[in-house]
Amino acid sequence: MRAVTVELVGRIVRGVHAYGTSLPPEHVLCEIFSVSRSVLREAVKVLEEKGLVQVRQGTGTVVTPPTMWNTLDELVLGALIAEDETLTILDDLVMTRRVLESEMAAMTARTADQATLDRLRALVDLMDELVDDPVAYRREDLTFHDVIMQASGNRIARSVVRALESQVANTARYVGKSEPALCVASNRGHRRVYERIAAHDPDGAAHAMFTHITEAWLVRRSGPGDPSRLER
């Protein structure tokens, strides 16, 4: 059933089944995917839960507008990213991250205890030593951000960021190139964030995190599209 769901999600996102139109009849889809009607109906039910379709009596299964899709859903977000030649979806993801993480950095700057500050300082120092090992560097990079999010106490914002990150953690177009010079530049941003948090400067911490996430993405970003979109 999952394979059918994945394929239908991809077809809808790609526009094979345009919004406002009905999916092919059940018997046609059953033949295409070589599945029973019960399996197909379960797949359509999942699509409806994701906001991709509406089942209407007398009309059939109608594809909904993109504004109704659950873009935080793993399958939907994955399909959108795969089809996004302009990187608009990743731009939006990064903008969402930086808004939430900037606010969480500000909160952490207000409330961080010495143990949190010591942990952040240790992570920044460790990342300085890992710039020649991008895989290990990225692991500690994620930990640094998560320590700040946890310390902020905003569990909802942290959950949203972690959910978004989990969907793109292995996406080459999001992760970008792994080069020591890029790790060095990235960790300068981390150190500025740490320093503002250690100074208990909420505005400075928010600005440092905002700048760090923006600059890191613009460096990683490649392909068509307008990077200045992130600066709005």
Side-chain angles (χ1 to χ4, degrees):
M1 191 270 284
R2 180 177 171 81
V4 176
T5 304
V6 170
E7 179 60 26
L8 284 172
V9 169
R11 288 180 175 216
I12 290 171
V13 169
R14 292 195 301 273
V16 175
H17 305 301
Y19 74 86
T21 65
S22 297
L23 292 181
E26 270 190 359
H27 72 277
V28 174
L29 290 175
C30 287
E31 185 175 341
I32 290 173
F33 297 117
S34 300
V35 296
S36 65
R37 286 179 182 267
S38 61
V39 169
L40 180 66
R41 286 170 183 169
E42 284 298 312
V44 170
K45 182 179 178 182
V46 173
L47 293 181
E48 193 168 25
E49 291 170 351
K50 297 177 187 299
L52 295 171
V53 300
Q54 289 181 338
V55 179
R56 301 173 182 170
Q57 292 296 328
T59 307
T61 302
V62 179
V63 178
T64 59
T67 52
M68 296 179 64
W69 300 351
N70 178 9
T71 53
L72 289 180
D73 177 83
E74 175 186 3
L75 295 183
V76 178
L77 182 57
L80 285 168
I81 290 171
E83 295 302 315
D84 181 26
E85 294 301 323
T86 64
L87 301 186
T88 299
I89 298 298
L90 289 180
D91 283 343
D92 288 346
L93 185 151
V94 172
M95 283 191 282
T96 301
R97 263 196 64 208
R98 76 179 183 183
V99 168
L100 293 176
E101 288 201 50
S102 295
E103 288 298 318
M104 286 187 278
M107 182 58 71
T108 297
R110 295 186 184 97
T111 62
D113 57 18
Q114 192 57 48
T116 297
L117 297 179
D118 290 345
R119 182 83 194 283
L120 292 174
R121 174 62 183 270
L123 285 166
V124 170
D125 290 344
L126 174 60
M127 282 186 281
D128 273 341
E129 299 173 6
L130 294 175
V131 293
D132 292 320
D133 185 348
V135 174
Y137 178 90
R138 171 138 179 92
R139 183 174 60 248
E140 303 306 327
D141 182 344
L142 293 172
T143 300
F144 175 84
H145 285 267
D146 197 48
V147 168
I148 293 172
M149 292 191 291
Q150 287 188 69
S152 76
N154 191 330
R155 291 178 294 174
I156 293 177
R158 177 178 178 243
S159 293
V160 171
V161 172
R162 285 170 61 87
L164 291 173
E165 282 279 299
S166 70
Q167 303 307 323
V168 294
N170 297 313
T171 302
R173 295 204 299 178
Y174 177 74
V175 175
K177 298 178 181 178
S178 297
E179 298 176 3
L182 301 183
C183 294
V184 170
S186 169
N187 207 37
R188 282 199 295 266
H190 292 145
R191 191 170 293 279
R192 286 193 293 268
V193 172
Y194 157 71
E195 288 171 349
R196 290 301 87 209
I197 290 175
H200 297 289
D201 174 8
D203 291 341
H207 178 72
M209 181 64 81
F210 187 97
T211 301
H212 163 62
I213 291 175
T214 301
E215 291 180 346
W217 171 235
L218 290 177
V219 168
R220 298 196 311 271
R221 198 184 193 282
S222 61
D226 179 11
S228 67
R229 194 170 164 274
L230 266 168
E231 298 172 4
R232 68 188 184 194

